[in-house]
Amino acid sequence: MQTAYLKTDGGVSGEFSQSLTLAAGTYKLSFKAAQRASFGGVQSFNVLFDNAAIGTFTPASGTFATYTTNSSAATAGSHTIKFAATTTTGDNTAFIDDIVIGAA
């Protein structure tokens, strides 16, 4: 099992992305997220679909909880999903796991 993380440290905010091929339709993402509980501050992040924000999230605790994005229409073909930290100061980390894309 691997968990991604989004970290802000020294004014640099982390991000990760994945390209995928979809059939035309309307989709939403679900995923689990948690804050780093042992150190640092609160990390907020955006989820983007082809550079359009489909949700902003701030995990409430160090325990993983499930979150769901807004729906997004997709044409058939290649698309990119990106998770991008929005906190710009301090040493903050959020963990992301179990990302699933499904029909809205």
Side-chain angles (χ1 to χ4, degrees), residues 9-100:
D9 192 8
V12 177
S13 296
E15 63 182 45
F16 65 90
S17 62
Q18 177 70 50
S19 295
L20 66 157
T21 301
L22 296 171
T26 303
Y27 296 90
K28 63 182 177 179
L29 290 175
S30 65
F31 58 91
K32 294 180 182 174
Q35 293 288 340
R36 177 177 55 178
S38 61
F39 181 82
V42 175
Q43 180 64 270
S44 296
F45 57 91
N46 290 329
V47 179
L48 299 102
F49 181 81
D50 292 338
N51 292 317
I54 57 173
T56 298
F57 302 92
T58 306
S61 73
T63 301
F64 279 95
T66 301
Y67 297 88
T68 303
T69 66
N70 296 319
S71 299
S72 183
T75 58
S78 180
H79 298 277
T80 301
I81 296 167
K82 179 167 44 173
F83 286 72
T86 58
T87 306
T88 59
T89 60
D91 184 353
N92 313 294
T93 305
F95 298 100
I96 314 294
D97 199 6
D98 197 21
I99 302 167
V100 176

